Amino acid sequence: MARNTLTRDQIVHAAIEHLDTDGLEGLNMRALGKRLDSAATAVYWHVKNKDNLVLLATDQVWSELELPDLATADWRTAATAMATDLYAMFTRHPWLVQVLAAHVVYGEGKARHDDHHLAVYETAGFTAAQADQAAAAVFTYVLGNAAGTAATAALTRKLGDGSTAAEEQVQAAMTQAREIAMRYPRLRARLETPAATGYAAAPDGTFELGLRALLDGLARQHTGKAGDQ
């Protein structure tokens, strides 16, 4: 495509697809231009640089999130829905974890989400300061759980690059990890469980269990009784 037939939206959506398959480290303007059947120089007419493109892609993805109706949903239901949706977004786009570690992330999509997340708690009667703490606690909990998905995606790319050395390196590391675990009784007993056989894996229901416990704690702090309101 020539520069006058490209649009910013086309570039941003192509960048998201590229990031989903190749991660943050795999994104470059030449590869993106090839995906768009265009010269890399044509892309630069629409975005300033790679960092600018990453921020545009990140904000576009943040706009995928649905915002619960606070007039019909209680705060626990709304908070659970937003956290679950956010976790699903990180799972669909694991490169976002890399972006948050390397960039100052901002934009309309993220601001829309963050403002509504604060409204979940303020509408329930939390003070502004309590809402700030609650929203930050839930966000960091979701992000921490998504780190495992991001690590798995990065490892999968590494093993899929056709490099025998990469696969041998990972297998050697996993073998050494198992050997160390054998010296500890509780780890040894869990070596054949799904959480042990998958890299950075966790037992089924771990995310949901932790989220309920976190929201129970917020409810107790706010009302003195878990599950109220």
Side-chain angles (χ1 to χ4, degrees), residues 4 20 51 70 79 81 94 171 177 187 189 219 222:
N4 59 348
D20 286 345
D51 286 345
L70 302 184
Q171 290 303 320
L187 298 182
H222 179 52

Side-chain angles (χ1 to χ4, degrees), residues 79-98:
T80 300
M82 291 193 72
T84 303
D85 198 18
L86 185 65
Y87 182 67
M89 182 187 75
F90 282 131
T91 301
R92 288 193 304 274
H93 309 292
W95 50 271
L96 283 170
V97 178
Q98 296 174 282

Side-chain angles (χ1 to χ4, degrees), residues 174-188:
M174 295 297 286
T175 298
Q176 291 176 3
R178 289 179 67 89
E179 290 174 355
I180 293 171
M182 286 294 292
R183 299 199 290 267
Y184 296 89
R186 292 165 188 84
L187 298 182
R188 184 171 62 247

Side-chain angles (χ1 to χ4, degrees), residues 49-87:
N49 49 43
K50 177 181 172 179
D51 286 345
N52 178 236
L53 179 57
V54 168
L55 289 177
L56 290 171
T58 299
D59 204 54
Q60 177 63 42
V61 166
W62 229 276
S63 298
E64 296 175 3
L65 296 171
E66 296 184 6
L67 306 182
D69 184 356
L70 302 184
T72 58
D74 64 274
W75 78 267
R76 285 286 299 259
T77 300
T80 300
M82 291 193 72
T84 303
D85 198 18
L86 185 65
Y87 182 67

Side-chain angles (χ1 to χ4, degrees), residues 149-204:
T149 301
T152 300
L155 180 61
T156 300
R157 287 194 301 271
K158 187 174 183 179
L159 293 177
D161 67 0
S163 169
T164 302
E167 184 170 358
E168 290 177 348
Q169 181 182 357
V170 172
Q171 290 303 320
M174 295 297 286
T175 298
Q176 291 176 3
R178 289 179 67 89
E179 290 174 355
I180 293 171
M182 286 294 292
R183 299 199 290 267
Y184 296 89
R186 292 165 188 84
L187 298 182
R188 184 171 62 247
R190 290 165 172 78
L191 280 177
E192 302 307 321
T193 65
T197 56
Y199 180 69
D204 291 343

Side-chain angles (χ1 to χ4, degrees), residues 86 117 133-146 214:
L86 185 65
H117 196 194
Q133 290 177 326
V138 171
F139 180 82
T140 53
Y141 171 77
V142 174
L143 181 61
N145 276 267
L214 176 56

